[in-house]
Amino acid sequence: MSSIVLSAMLVVANVMGAGMIVPQVARLNRLKTTEGISAAWIGVGLAMNLWWVGYGLANGLWGIIPVSVVAFALYLVMAAQFVALNGLGSLRSCARGAALLGLLPVPALVLSGWPTAGLVVGLCYAIQFAPAALAAVRSNQLEGVSPVTWVMAGTEAAIWLVYGFHQGDAALIIGGGGGLAMSCLILVRLTRHVAARRAVTPADELVLAR
């Protein structure tokens, strides 16, 4: 793979990764609803992006640092929106999500350094979107979920997967593959949700409203 193609992939991945939260932030601001959105996912996103910054600095993978910094800031904005709409109590789920995955790489980092910790970070990223996917699968109210966010998330994950193979970086391969799988799961759920809503006739809607 040429350096030009590789550089272009990094640019696209950074744009997608930093921008994927923007449609979700905009949707929350417009609709004022968090239906179908997992607070735990926000907490996990905050923790994982901090880990990717550390991993990038430790291993000279400068391409993942800008996207991680910007994404962390946007997750903070989304956390503030979530609290504004649901109250301070919603921070408990956010904090649990951050602690659940955010602390997992710590033992590996202390005992074996960044090579092993990076693998754990990649694994955590692979399941980073699991709370969001679980919330989407379990909920019939998905109006708060932005499909654009998950198209961009899947695209970003696919690029990191390819980039990881090119660099021989197992953390990026695991993270990219898992992120792609979770994004696709959410998009399939959203597609089915929209199709089901369109299949409901006006008479059905009247009955459901009663």
Side-chain angles (χ1 to χ4, degrees), residues 2-207:
S2 70
S3 59
I4 295 177
V5 173
L6 194 62
S7 298
M9 287 174 59
L10 287 176
V11 170
V12 173
N14 274 273
V15 171
M16 290 291 180
M20 62 167 279
I21 308 300
V22 174
Q24 186 63 76
V25 168
R27 193 177 184 90
L28 282 170
N29 186 64
R30 185 175 70 255
L31 299 183
K32 308 298 183 186
T33 178
T34 59
E35 290 179 342
I37 301 174
S38 167
W41 163 57
I42 298 174
V44 171
L46 288 168
M48 286 300 97
N49 278 289
L50 283 180
W51 275 109
W52 280 122
V53 170
Y55 183 72
L57 290 172
N59 293 277
L61 294 171
W62 312 114
I64 68 174
I65 295 175
V67 60
S68 300
V69 171
V70 175
F72 176 80
L74 289 171
Y75 272 109
L76 278 179
V77 172
M78 191 158 49
Q81 290 177 307
F82 212 92
V83 170
L85 292 170
N86 299 288
L88 285 173
S90 61
L91 279 179
R92 286 194 294 269
S93 294
C94 185
R96 281 196 296 268
L100 181 63
L101 289 187
L103 294 178
L104 282 182
V106 173
L109 179 62
V110 172
L111 296 174
S112 302
W114 276 110
T116 303
L119 293 177
V120 179
V121 172
L123 179 60
C124 289
Y125 180 81
I127 58 176
Q128 172 181 339
F129 299 144
L134 183 61
V137 169
R138 297 172 68 176
S139 176
N140 290 322
Q141 303 296 325
L142 301 174
E143 281 68 25
V145 182
S146 169
V148 178
T149 283
W150 294 106
V151 170
M152 295 177 73
T155 303
E156 180 207 8
I159 292 174
W160 289 127
L161 176 62
V162 174
Y163 183 70
F165 274 114
H166 182 270
Q167 297 292 103
D169 190 288
L172 289 177
I173 293 172
I174 294 171
L180 178 60
M182 293 297 175
S183 298
C184 289
L185 177 60
I186 294 172
L187 288 171
V188 168
R189 179 69 183 94
L190 287 173
T191 300
R192 290 179 176 176
H193 175 70
V194 171
R197 286 183 62 85
R198 287 177 178 173
V200 176
T201 65
D204 293 330
E205 291 179 344
L206 181 60
V207 171

